[in-house]
């Protein structure tokens, strides 16, 4: 016969087993996750309320402290008040200067329009990444500067944008190409372009060997060599009346108005390369060297042409079809040879 105590234990055990079964049935992983999320939300709500309450208390205490200090401020000496105003003025000026710096650091409108122009253009670039990169490094070092370019093309807006704040002048033999370039250019870029004429007879080269002989003869001739190393600043009559077969005709007044820090020849035309060398050698003494970039060197004839008149000793870098020369001033240096 079962005692009452054993009966109660058996009944309690039965209840525990039943409760455990119900708990196992009701407490699923999904409900555990929901319960944890609810607990977390409640904790964040309580924490936010306490933070806001603390901030309100601090604000009230600060207001009370300000009200208490107000009578003392009335007795502040005039000199202290003046110093406080001076400090405020300095702070305002610093803020204004900071705003000016922020405005100055914005992308110029001409550069932004050039970026949009190339982003929406279907024109094929005339330069490879290596060639454009070599030229961009030169301009990054010299800009804003005096930039002279022989030839117009799809990359004209790029040159003007890279030389933002400097003076950029294009010289082109084809007047129709100037009109087309102006029509295609972004409105924010002022395209300073002028026509120039090169003497065609100087470009006649039947074979590479004939071309080399012609180049050597022209470079060593007294007519071309004397004009290529001027003893005084360039003037219109220096090239317009030169008997050298490579001297151009019709150079604009703007060509003579500036010291050209960087000269880009977009096509290795003999007259353009010769003129680039003349302008570089005529640079004012003590103003540094002139970087001359020749693009479009596709064969031995162009290679010989560039090295003959810009000098292999002045060659600094080769990147694809681009040649970078750095030419010092020859002015007032009668004993200085045409090439080092």
């Amino acid at each position: 016969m079962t005692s009452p105590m054993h009966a109660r234990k058996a009944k309690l055990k039965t209840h525990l087993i039943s409760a455990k079964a119900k708990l196992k049935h009701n407490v699923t992983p999904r409900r555990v996750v929901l319960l944890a999320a609810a607990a977390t939300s409640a904790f964040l709500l309580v924490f936010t309320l306490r933070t806001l309450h603390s901030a309100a208390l601090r604000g009230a205490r600060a207001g009370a402290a300000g009200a208490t200090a107000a009578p003392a401020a009335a007795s502040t000496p005039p000199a202290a008040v003046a110093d406080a105003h001076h400090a405020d003025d300095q702070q305002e000026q610093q803020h204004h200067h900071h705003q000016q710096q922020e405005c100055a650091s914005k992308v110029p409108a001409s550069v932004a329009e050039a970026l949009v122009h190339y982003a929406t253009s279907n024109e094929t670039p005339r330069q490879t990444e290596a060639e454009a990169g070599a030229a961009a490094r030169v301009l990054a070092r010299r800009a804003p500067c005096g930039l002279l370019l022989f030839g117009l093309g799809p990359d004209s807006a790029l040159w003007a944008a890279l030389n933002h704040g400097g003076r950029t002048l294009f010289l082109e033999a084809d007047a129709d190409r100037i009109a087309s370039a102006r029509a295609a250019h972004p409105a924010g870029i002022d395209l300073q372009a002028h026509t120039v004429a090169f003497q065609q007879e100087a470009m006649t080269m039947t074979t590479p060997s004939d071309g080399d002989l012609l180049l050597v003869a022209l470079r060593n001739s007294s007519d071309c060599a004397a004009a290529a190393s001027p003893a005084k600043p360039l003037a219109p009559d220096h090239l317009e009346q030169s008997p050298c077969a490579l001297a151009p005709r019709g150079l604009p007044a703007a060509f003579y108005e500036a010291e050209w820090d960087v000269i880009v020849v977009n096509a290795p035309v003999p007259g353009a390369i010769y003129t680039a060398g003349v302008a570089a050698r005529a640079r004012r003494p003590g103003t540094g060297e002139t970087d001359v970039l020749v693009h479009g060197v596709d064969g031995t004839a162009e290679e010989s042409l560039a090295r003959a008149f810009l000098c292999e000793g002045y060659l600094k870098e080769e990147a694809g079809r681009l040649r970078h020369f750095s030419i010092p001033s020859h002015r007032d240096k009668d004993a200085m040879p045409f090439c080092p």
Side-chain angles (χ1 to χ4, degrees):
M1 185 172 179
T2 305
S3 67
M5 181 176 292
H6 287 153
R8 285 196 298 271
K9 287 182 179 181
K11 186 176 181 180
L12 179 61
K13 185 176 180 180
T14 302
H15 283 301
L16 287 175
I17 293 173
S18 176
K20 185 177 180 180
K22 289 181 180 179
L23 181 64
K24 185 176 181 180
H25 176 72
N26 293 326
V27 181
T28 63
R30 180 173 179 273
R31 291 180 178 179
V32 171
V33 172
L34 292 176
L35 181 62
T40 303
S41 300
F43 171 77
L44 291 176
L45 178 61
V46 172
F47 179 77
T48 302
L49 291 175
R50 290 188 63 182
T51 302
L52 294 175
H53 180 67
S54 299
L57 287 177
R58 286 196 298 269
R61 290 170 184 171
T68 304
S75 60
T76 303
V81 175
D83 291 341
H85 285 307
H86 180 66
D88 290 342
D89 291 340
Q90 284 185 330
Q91 188 176 7
E92 184 177 355
Q93 289 176 357
Q94 290 176 353
H95 179 68
H96 181 63
H97 179 66
H98 180 67
Q99 285 182 325
Q100 287 181 327
Q101 287 182 327
E102 286 183 345
C103 292
S105 64
K106 292 181 179 178
V107 176
S110 59
V111 177
E113 291 180 8
L115 293 174
V116 173
H117 170 73
Y118 286 110
T120 57
S121 175
N122 294 324
E123 295 176 325
T124 303
R126 295 175 57 182
Q127 299 192 37
T128 64
E129 183 178 353
E131 294 163 359
R137 286 192 297 272
V138 173
L139 275 176
R141 178 170 52 86
R142 303 298 298 266
C145 64
L147 174 60
L148 175 66
L149 300 103
F150 289 90
L152 279 168
D155 55 356
S156 298
L158 171 66
W159 296 113
L162 290 175
N163 192 36
H164 176 75
R167 182 170 188 176
T168 304
L169 176 66
F170 293 90
L171 299 178
E172 171 60 53
D174 189 349
D176 292 336
R177 183 171 291 181
I178 293 179
S180 299
R182 281 181 173 153
H185 255 53
I189 295 181
D190 184 15
L191 184 64
Q192 297 284 331
H194 300 269
T195 55
V196 62
F198 297 110
Q199 302 181 66
Q200 295 299 321
E201 60 269 18
M203 304 179 199
T204 304
M205 300 181 188
T206 55
T207 65
S209 59
D210 290 341
D212 290 343
L213 292 175
L214 175 61
L215 293 175
V216 172
L218 289 171
R219 188 184 68 182
N220 295 335
S221 70
S222 58
D223 292 338
C224 293
S229 299
K232 58 182 180 180
L234 286 179
D237 59 349
H238 185 87
L239 290 170
E240 297 293 335
Q241 300 176 13
S242 173
C244 178
L246 294 173
R249 298 291 185 260
L251 286 170
F255 170 79
Y256 301 97
E257 294 173 354
E259 296 277 355
W260 300 109
D261 305 294
V262 180
I263 302 176
V264 179
V265 181
N266 280 318
V269 177
I273 290 182
Y274 175 77
T275 308
V278 172
R281 292 179 175 88
R283 188 182 182 89
R284 188 171 70 253
T287 57
E289 299 182 339
T290 301
D291 290 296
V292 180
L293 305 171
V294 181
H295 183 254
V297 180
D298 293 321
T300 57
E302 295 87 359
E303 193 78 59
S304 299
L305 179 66
R307 293 174 186 264
F309 289 100
L310 302 177
C311 301
E312 188 169 357
Y314 293 143
L315 181 63
K316 297 297 182 184
E317 183 181 5
E318 299 180 49
R321 299 174 298 156
L322 183 131
R323 302 293 180 268
H324 172 206
F325 299 84
S326 185
I327 302 177
S329 171
H330 283 220
R331 198 197 298 180
D332 300 333
K333 299 175 182 177
D334 297 334
M336 192 170 186
F338 187 84
C339 286

